Amino acid sequence: FDDSPLIAFTDPPLTTVRKPIGAMASAAVETLLEEINGAPGKNLELMFQPELVVRRSTGSGPLVNR
């Protein structure tokens, strides 16, 4: 989880989940600045879409005869 830069260098490279750190940081700063500037506090729940980064540690499942 978190798609550390070193994960791509493991053997095999690991599949992981990447969080949108830039979007999360921007939303946090924007919310903080609104409160600093006197905007009434909002009870916010911010949701962000993670990204699945598939690498060689993930393969297809076993073939099943149908």
Side-chain angles (χ1 to χ4, degrees):
F1 193 78
D2 290 345
D3 195 32
S4 165
L6 299 177
I7 295 298
F9 298 102
T10 61
D11 187 22
L14 299 176
T15 294
T16 187
V17 175
R18 181 181 297 147
K19 295 187 294 187
I21 301 297
M24 294 168 70
S26 293
V29 169
E30 183 179 324
T31 302
L32 180 60
L33 289 174
E34 286 175 1
E35 290 207 23
I36 289 171
N37 290 324
K42 302 175 198 170
N43 188 7
L44 292 178
E45 179 178 357
L46 303 175
M47 297 184 69
F48 299 91
Q49 184 69 38
E51 175 188 358
L52 178 64
V53 181
V54 178
R55 295 193 179 98
R56 288 191 348 222
S57 64
T58 302
S60 61
L63 296 176
V64 178
N65 292 333
R66 292 184 184 203

